[in-house]
Amino acid sequence: MNWMKMVMVLGLTVVLTGCGQAESPEPVEPELDLVTSITITGNDRMEFDITEFAVPAGAEITLLFDNIGVMPKEAMGHNLAILDKDMDPNTFAAAAIRHPGNEYIPPEYEDQVIATTKILGPGEEEVLIFTAPSEVGDYPYVCSFPGHTPAGMKGIMKVR
Ligand SMILES: [Cu+2]
């Protein structure tokens, strides 16, 4: 093998290696479309129909929350409270139990609430209009009616 062939072989090796690296699949989370308007429902099984959505940082967001259940508010009321990204949903919900008179929003964590509806009874809905945080991140939202967050009535608002 003369030096010219050697250079070609090495060159080909580099090209092939380069291709292999380019094709190796990186685990990429499918990106959600960014929305500025969304409707979320809550039901008698303590479920939000949407548990993940994404909004543009700093945008004005219109969120309609609709309690589509039929059970009485005292037994199966729902709210939708969007929390700051560092607020732990379970800590928030545990504190909320003591505050039925404040729509189950704990005053000690009120500064951690980006937006919240009142507790809604069956068939009731409320529109929230709020400014999405300017800081990119994952912001939890919960229903803070007693027992509902631990039962899974929570989600993530992704700010992108
Ligand atoms: Cu609820």
Side-chain angles (χ1 to χ4, degrees), residues 54-117:
V55 300
E60 186 180 279
I61 309 301
T62 303
L63 187 157
L64 172 75
F65 178 51
D66 186 3
N67 178 354
I68 60 170
V70 297
M71 289 176 64
K73 181 176 173 178
E74 297 67 31
M76 188 55 75
H78 300 300
N79 66 3
L80 191 157
I82 303 172
L83 310 179
D84 205 356
K85 61 183 165 56
D86 296 326
M87 183 73 230
D88 175 60
N90 292 319
T91 303
F92 185 89
I97 293 171
R98 297 189 301 273
H99 300 286
N102 196 40
E103 304 288 336
Y104 289 110
I105 298 299
E108 64 267 43
Y109 294 130
E110 221 145 23
D111 62 348
Q112 303 288 304
V113 178
I114 291 165
T116 185
T117 68

Side-chain angles (χ1 to χ4, degrees), residues 6-127:
M6 181 72 97
V7 167
M8 287 175 68
V9 169
L10 285 174
L12 190 58
T13 306
V14 168
V15 168
L16 288 175
T17 308
C19 276
Q21 281 171 348
E23 282 168 11
S24 68
E26 292 203 356
V28 175
E29 195 180 319
E31 282 298 317
L32 297 167
D33 288 338
L34 299 181
V35 299
T36 55
S37 174
I38 189 165
T39 296
I40 300 178
T41 66
N43 65 26
D44 286 344
R45 296 188 305 276
M46 296 178 284
E47 295 165 336
F48 287 130
D49 66 331
I50 291 174
T51 56
E52 202 176 59
F53 66 98
V55 300
E60 186 180 279
I61 309 301
T62 303
L63 187 157
L64 172 75
F65 178 51
D66 186 3
N67 178 354
I68 60 170
V70 297
M71 289 176 64
K73 181 176 173 178
E74 297 67 31
M76 188 55 75
H78 300 300
N79 66 3
L80 191 157
I82 303 172
L83 310 179
D84 205 356
K85 61 183 165 56
D86 296 326
M87 183 73 230
D88 175 60
N90 292 319
T91 303
F92 185 89
I97 293 171
R98 297 189 301 273
H99 300 286
N102 196 40
E103 304 288 336
Y104 289 110
I105 298 299
E108 64 267 43
Y109 294 130
E110 221 145 23
D111 62 348
Q112 303 288 304
V113 178
I114 291 165
T116 185
T117 68
K118 298 188 287 294
I119 297 287
L120 304 182
E124 291 182 339
E125 60 183 35
E126 184 175 335
V127 175

Side-chain angles (χ1 to χ4, degrees), residues 77-78 143 145 148 153:
H78 300 300
C143 170
F145 194 87
H148 290 199
M153 199 166 185

